[in-house]
Amino acid sequence: MPPPLPSRPLGVRLLGNPSATVVVELFQDLCCPFSRKMCMTLNGSNGVFDKIRADPSLAAKVEFIFHNVPQPWHPQSPVMHECMFAVSLAVDHDADLLKKYIRAAFNAFPEFADLHVADKTRKELHLMCADIAAETLGDEMGGADAVRKKVLSHLCFDHLTKDEPHMGLGEVTKLLKFAVKHHRTRGVHVTPTVFMNSIEAPDVSSGWSAEQWMEKLRSVCA
């Protein structure tokens, strides 16, 4: 039997629509300070996304997609990403809700720095991420407790047995594997890495200002 394939496109649409002529793919790690910095430049107050929305001619041409890139040299990183996939399942892959979670996870990044989680277990990290989802999405999903319970239901190990102790987290693990295979296939190693219309844009930096982003986008869209 061939390996499974995704039943839906990979990634989370952060801005734009499928008819855009310039697709910007952001390969980012939720546990990467440089990914976080880029996220804040793009999606912060008066950031790139706000500027694009204020420019109808550009807004019609540009789409941004987030792709998960777990970085194993931060052992908590794959756990943070599997938690995001649990959130994705809990919200039925709703892009608007996932956008809020991604931004909240990046905002909470200092709590997940190596120094602060060195003694945390995998389950403790799950609880931390579920709390982020509960606080961020509770108002839209029946309350914080309901969100926390739903997310944690996808991070449960009760199905594992002595005979099959390595089956992972089911659908969550499957989504994580798809994400890892995708960024490996695309040759992504460091984060953040940016592609524009499927070609890597190595000049794009986490240190860029919103104005530098806008200049780049206008040149590509010209």
Side-chain angles (χ1 to χ4, degrees):
M1 179 178 294
L5 293 171
S7 60
R8 60 191 307 114
L10 299 180
V12 178
R13 183 176 295 113
L14 300 178
L15 184 76
N17 58 68
S19 64
T21 56
V22 175
V23 179
V24 183
E25 295 175 283
L26 309 170
F27 286 83
Q28 298 185 323
D29 176 18
L30 294 173
C31 196
C32 169
F34 305 106
S35 293
R36 179 180 188 253
K37 185 176 182 180
M38 180 178 283
C39 175
M40 296 301 108
T41 301
L42 292 170
N43 203 19
S45 177
N46 199 33
V48 175
F49 290 175
D50 285 344
K51 293 180 183 297
I52 291 173
R53 294 185 187 102
D55 184 343
S57 63
L58 191 60
K61 297 178 180 178
V62 178
E63 177 186 30
F64 278 79
I65 298 175
F66 172 94
H67 290 296
N68 300 74
V69 183
Q71 299 286 32
W73 44 86
H74 300 296
Q76 68 275 32
S77 172
V79 181
M80 294 176 71
H81 286 275
E82 71 182 7
C83 288
M84 179 178 154
F85 289 121
V87 173
S88 183
L89 292 169
V91 303
D92 196 25
H93 308 289
D94 185 299
D96 289 332
L97 297 178
L98 284 172
K99 284 188 287 187
K100 293 182 179 181
Y101 179 79
I102 290 169
R103 183 172 177 176
F106 274 128
N107 280 332
F109 162 76
E111 300 172 30
F112 291 87
D114 294 349
L115 174 66
H116 302 308
V117 300
D119 297 321
K120 299 285 187 184
T121 68
R122 187 178 181 185
K123 287 189 175 183
E124 287 173 330
L125 292 170
H126 286 171
L127 288 171
M128 291 172 65
C129 291
D131 284 344
I132 294 171
E135 181 178 346
T136 306
L137 307 177
D139 289 345
E140 299 171 81
M141 295 185 60
D145 289 343
V147 174
R148 186 181 295 105
K149 182 177 180 180
K150 197 167 185 180
V151 170
L152 291 174
S153 72
H154 295 289
L155 297 168
C156 179
F157 296 94
D158 290 350
H159 61 288
L160 301 181
T161 66
K162 286 179 62 177
D163 294 330
E164 293 187 331
H166 299 297
M167 298 300 289
L169 289 168
E171 193 67 18
V172 164
T173 300
K174 183 189 296 185
L175 293 174
L176 183 66
K177 288 181 177 180
F178 287 150
V180 171
K181 185 171 185 177
H182 182 222
H183 79 72
R184 286 176 177 172
T185 301
R186 301 288 293 275
V188 173
H189 176 57
V190 299
T191 54
T193 295
V194 176
F195 284 70
M196 294 190 178
N197 284 344
S198 301
I199 302 298
E200 185 178 353
D203 56 320
V204 179
S205 167
S206 61
W208 270 18
S209 66
E211 289 70 26
Q212 287 174 295
W213 267 100
M214 295 301 289
E215 182 180 351
K216 179 71 171 183
L217 292 170
R218 289 190 180 104
S219 70
V220 176
C221 291

